[in-house]
Amino acid sequence: MWCGFNLYGLVNNKAKRALRGRKKLFIKLREDISRFKPNGKRIWFHSSSMGEFEQAKPIIAELKKRIPSAQIIVSFFSPSGYEHSLSYKLADVITYIPFDSYSNAKMFVDIIKPNTVVFIRYDIWPNHVWALKSKHIPVFIISATMQEKTYRRVPILRQFIRSLYNNFDYILTVSDDDKRIFDKFKLNQPVVQTVGDTRYDQVMMRSITSKKKQLIDLKILSGNKVIVIGSSWSEDDERLLPVIKQLIDKLKNLIIIWVPHEPTEENLEQMEIKMNGKLTYIRFSLLHQYENEKIILVDSIGILMILYQYADVAYIGGGFGSGIHNVLEPASYGVPILFGPKYSNSQEAISLLSNGGAFLIQDENELYDVFLMLLTDEEKRKKSGGFALSLVTQNVGATTRVLTFLDMVF
């Protein structure tokens, strides 16, 4: 795997960044850990990437309130998670996890000397788990999920996976269905318990904070209906563009806040070429020059959550590509949500569809009809948005339940 990753790094920028970021990892880690107080509680949180780390944040925040002296080590596998989290203030050390060899894992654990370790969701590296087990350090998986049809239950792997999970002390699952699938492994070591998903706590906290921030002059939006298109890919854009033009022609009081998944200059220019002569647009960074353009094309990163507060309706990208993105963010504002057919990667999307908080879109005609219905029927829009918000509020509380288990090992 290590050899393959190095070869992949020759042609893939993300893999190259991951390799480059791990150079002198242990030298830097020793310097960072040397500043720790020798008797402070050390808690290591590991996430694969930025999305999984969102599930750790509410737990870390609450731990810091309860134990201000706690020393938090945060690690990532992917460069996107590591790079986007370097400014996270509640972590005392932010690092890459080293590649999973016996010697790397042993050295990493020997340096950080954690009292407790929390793996988020699924990114579990065997040598690191075994190194922790050899030192009798309590190890958790939180927000644990497992699908009914998974490679982990393939006969040739099942025994190995069972052996690996038996090195954990606690596996805290998102749902009873997840717990049921973990129970099929007949684990004899860890406590397997349903506690819920901490993402609901995190997204609710973020929405409350985001409402205090204003990124767009409300005079621009006043009297208008607003569609926020979040994390759109080219597959989404090719369906959205003709529909948005139709809607703007029909509804004169409509503004679109369009947030590409990757707002690179190249992608932004491609979108502008497609809009030119058909739709009026302005980049977010130039809003001080606003002259009644119908589309605000967002050329900044990290602000999508804040922008959802302006939405009457939200479209979530990825559903016509590899899978949809975060649906909880608009739901936390009570906004009805639309997305494409590839949504099985998101349990929240499935729940929103079942409770009426979201709408599944198969083609352009359906996209236009649902947008128009929600923008012109205030009662249906508010009802659907209320269903979306209720899903979030009903699932808040997982952080408290996780901390009940963490308290047992402190």
Side-chain angles (χ1 to χ4, degrees):
M1 183 178 176
W2 182 84
C3 292
F5 201 85
N6 275 269
L7 289 172
Y8 189 47
L10 297 174
V11 296
N12 181 273
N13 181 55
K14 189 173 182 179
K16 189 184 299 182
R17 281 158 39 216
L19 291 163
R20 188 170 58 240
R22 284 173 166 82
K23 288 183 177 178
K24 300 184 179 179
L25 184 155
F26 291 114
I27 294 172
K28 183 178 184 304
L29 189 61
R30 282 193 178 93
E31 291 174 355
D32 291 339
I33 296 296
S34 68
R35 293 190 286 270
F36 276 15
K37 295 176 182 177
N39 297 321
K41 290 281 186 184
R42 298 183 185 183
I43 307 162
W44 169 28
F45 288 83
H46 174 71
S47 310
S48 173
S49 192
M50 185 168 56
E52 289 74 34
F53 186 49
E54 289 298 309
Q55 295 171 292
K57 285 181 178 179
I59 299 169
I60 294 172
E62 190 59 33
L63 274 173
K64 281 289 194 179
K65 286 181 186 176
R66 296 186 182 191
I67 313 172
S69 62
Q71 297 166 136
I72 305 296
I73 301 127
V74 170
S75 67
F76 295 93
F77 179 78
S78 84
S80 59
Y82 174 78
E83 292 162 3
H84 284 94
S85 301
L86 286 172
S87 60
Y88 181 66
K89 299 189 185 311
L90 294 183
D92 298 283
V93 170
I94 297 173
T95 180
Y96 279 104
I97 193 171
F99 289 111
D100 191 52
S101 70
Y102 171 82
S103 58
N104 278 350
K106 184 177 184 303
M107 192 181 304
F108 189 82
V109 172
D110 285 344
I111 292 171
I112 65 174
K113 295 181 172 62
N115 297 100
T116 307
V117 179
V118 179
F119 287 87
I120 311 298
R121 200 172 182 186
Y122 59 76
D123 201 53
I124 298 157
W125 296 99
N127 281 299
H128 286 78
V129 173
W130 294 328
L132 294 165
K133 184 69 174 178
S134 71
K135 294 181 179 296
H136 307 288
I137 297 167
V139 188
F140 289 71
I141 310 174
I142 67 160
S143 294
T145 61
M146 188 176 293
Q147 296 182 354
E148 187 74 51
K149 295 179 180 179
T150 173
Y151 72 88
R152 294 178 180 89
R153 293 179 60 204
V154 172
I156 199 168
L157 288 174
R158 181 185 175 90
Q159 204 55 35
F160 170 74
I161 296 296
R162 181 177 184 272
S163 172
L164 181 59
Y165 281 134
N166 266 327
N167 286 277
F168 285 84
D169 296 275
Y170 297 91
I171 298 176
L172 306 181
T173 68
V174 166
S175 70
D176 289 333
D177 283 341
D178 295 305
K179 180 182 184 303
R180 176 179 54 79
I181 298 167
F182 273 101
D183 286 342
K184 288 183 177 181
F185 283 93
K186 299 186 180 345
L187 303 173
N188 53 34
Q189 168 62 28
V191 173
V192 182
Q193 185 66 48
T194 302
V195 297
D197 192 339
T198 57
R199 279 183 297 181
Y200 290 97
D201 301 322
Q202 175 66 2
V203 78
M204 184 57 76
M205 288 192 305
R206 287 184 66 199
S207 69
I208 293 168
T209 303
S210 296
K211 288 172 185 175
K212 300 174 184 176
K213 302 174 183 178
Q214 293 298 329
L215 298 182
I216 298 177
D217 189 338
L218 294 181
K219 292 177 183 177
I220 294 174
L221 304 178
S222 179
N224 290 292
K225 294 292 184 185
V226 178
I227 295 174
V228 174
I229 298 170
S231 293
S232 72
W233 292 80
S234 58
E235 296 91 342
D236 302 294
D237 297 339
E238 66 186 37
R239 293 166 174 83
L240 283 162
L241 280 165
V243 170
I244 293 301
K245 185 179 185 311
Q246 282 182 276
L247 289 168
I248 288 173
D249 289 342
K250 187 172 183 66
L251 305 173
K252 303 305 179 187
N253 63 333
L254 182 61
I255 286 182
I256 315 298
I257 301 174
W258 204 314
V259 186
H261 179 69
E262 295 181 339
T264 62
E265 186 61 29
E266 180 182 358
N267 287 343
L268 292 166
E269 287 178 358
Q270 287 296 317
M271 288 192 69
E272 288 171 338
I273 290 169
K274 293 173 184 176
M275 292 179 188
N276 197 25
K278 301 174 184 176
L279 297 161
T280 59
Y281 62 88
I282 185 170
R283 290 199 185 189
F284 175 79
S285 60
L286 299 174
L287 270 182
H288 58 282
Q289 301 174 11
Y290 180 75
E291 293 182 351
N292 297 313
E293 288 87 357
K294 289 294 185 178
I295 295 178
I296 298 170
L297 186 57
V298 177
D299 53 356
S300 301
I301 61 171
I303 62 172
L304 178 55
M305 177 72 183
I306 302 171
L307 294 174
Y308 281 128
Q309 69 178 299
Y310 304 118
D312 292 290
V313 183
Y315 176 91
I316 305 300
F320 290 98
S322 59
I324 64 168
H325 297 281
N326 194 328
V327 293
L328 289 182
E329 292 181 350
S332 68
Y333 290 108
V335 175
I337 299 159
L338 287 68
F339 49 77
K342 293 185 180 177
Y343 64 90
S344 61
N345 62 317
S346 171
Q347 182 58 50
E348 303 81 46
I350 295 168
S351 299
L352 283 166
L353 285 174
S354 66
N355 85 344
F359 298 84
L360 176 61
I361 303 301
Q362 300 286 356
D363 55 37
E364 291 177 22
N365 290 333
E366 207 167 12
L367 185 60
Y368 176 81
D369 290 342
V370 176
F371 266 141
L372 188 62
M373 179 267 291
L374 292 170
L375 292 167
T376 57
D377 191 325
E378 191 73 5
E379 184 178 345
K380 286 184 179 178
R381 184 186 67 77
K382 287 185 175 180
K383 188 175 181 180
S384 178
F387 290 145
L389 179 59
S390 70
L391 177 72
V392 179
T393 56
Q394 289 168 11
N395 284 282
V396 166
T399 298
T400 301
R401 292 187 284 273
V402 169
L403 284 165
T404 299
F405 287 93
L406 283 172
D407 286 342
M408 295 179 183
V409 301
F410 285 162

